[in-house]
Amino acid sequence: MRDIINGFLRFQREVFPKRRELFKKLASKQSPMTLFISCSDSRMVPELVTQSDPGNLFVIRNAGNIVPSFGPEPGGVSATVEYAVAALKVRDIVVCGHSNCGAMTAVATCACLDHMPAVRKWLRHSDAARMINEAQAHTDEQARIDGMVRENVKAQLNNIRTHPSVALALAQKSLTLHGWVYDIESGSIDALDTDTDCFVPLAEHRAARP
Ligand SMILES: [Zn+2]
């Protein structure tokens, strides 16, 4: 905890004064263009890997970068998606998984989660991805886990389309969905190509072209 407090004191002393104008502008309103949905994993830092300033990204983070399908009893993720799309009018939504994800490893390896009942229940939102991944041939355990991470991103993009605010914005062509997978060791990102349903390096993805 000492490191965190010292970090804040350094921010207050050294960083904040240099960005004073930005924070003054942000004090009364925000207008982020992107909703970024990623895992809570400490190694994946959305603002760092996208080099985004405060005010740029509206962020949802949870175990497994999961978006439950819309239902009669919407929860916190659904409310946050709805606010981002209907009130803030974000133009893009990125669902970003990552390598070596603990949540997806548990799903892919059918780990016993009896001692973590909330996690076990939460990860049921990845059932469609698990079924698809299990039906595929994998060379080894690592490939099975990597496949699960990718299928989960696709499944959560499907889930988010069930949200009324998202469905409306997509129909009005005012919103675009993106699926990414961040590799912790190499610092690279693969992006889903919706035409081929395959992941390609983000630098080569058509979204990266000017
Ligand atoms: Zn994770």
Side-chain angles (χ1 to χ4, degrees):
M1 200 57 207
R2 180 44 55 190
D3 286 347
I4 291 178
I5 294 167
N6 285 341
F8 163 68
L9 294 174
R10 203 164 57 244
F11 165 78
Q12 195 178 41
R13 197 174 55 239
E14 298 169 16
V15 181
F16 185 88
K18 291 179 192 154
R19 312 293 302 271
R20 195 179 295 279
E21 280 308 306
L22 173 65
F23 288 112
K24 191 178 173 189
K25 204 173 85 189
L26 291 173
S28 56
K29 76 175 178 85
Q30 64 166 337
S31 48
M33 305 291 275
T34 306
L35 168 60
F36 199 96
I37 301 169
S38 71
C39 188
S40 296
D41 194 294
S42 61
R43 300 163 296 175
M44 202 289 144
V45 183
E47 291 82 358
L48 179 68
V49 303
T50 62
Q51 291 291 286
S52 295
D53 273 339
N56 285 359
L57 298 182
F58 198 70
V59 176
I60 296 174
R61 299 185 69 169
N62 58 50
N65 41 273
I66 282 167
V67 183
S69 293
F70 193 81
E73 292 179 40
V77 172
S78 299
T80 311
V81 167
E82 191 172 86
Y83 184 74
V85 176
L88 297 174
K89 304 202 178 302
V90 295
R91 298 275 187 84
D92 296 275
I93 298 178
V94 180
V95 175
C96 186
H98 67 96
S99 61
N100 198 243
C101 182
M104 291 307 113
T105 300
V107 175
T109 59
C110 297
C112 175
L113 294 172
D114 286 351
H115 60 303
M116 289 190 277
V119 174
R120 187 180 59 190
K121 192 170 175 214
W122 177 244
L123 294 179
R124 296 294 303 274
H125 296 293
S126 295
D127 272 354
R130 180 174 58 79
M131 297 278 277
I132 293 168
N133 196 52
E134 278 178 5
Q136 293 166 348
H138 300 287
T139 50
D140 56 21
E141 189 86 333
Q142 190 58 54
R144 181 185 305 281
I145 294 165
D146 293 346
M148 185 64 218
V149 169
R150 289 192 295 271
E151 289 302 330
N152 182 57
V153 167
K154 291 192 223 170
Q156 303 315 321
L157 287 172
N158 288 337
N159 286 353
I160 205 167
R161 286 187 182 93
T162 66
H163 291 240
S165 58
V166 173
L168 174 63
L170 288 172
Q172 294 177 336
K173 302 199 186 309
S174 59
L175 179 68
T176 308
L177 305 182
H178 310 266
W180 289 5
V181 173
Y182 172 69
D183 185 75
I184 293 166
E185 190 173 353
S186 68
S188 60
I189 288 174
D190 285 344
L192 181 65
D193 185 324
T194 45
D195 290 346
T196 61
D197 208 33
C198 292
F199 282 86
V200 299
L202 181 57
E204 296 163 21
H205 193 274
R206 60 195 159 86
R209 288 177 205 141

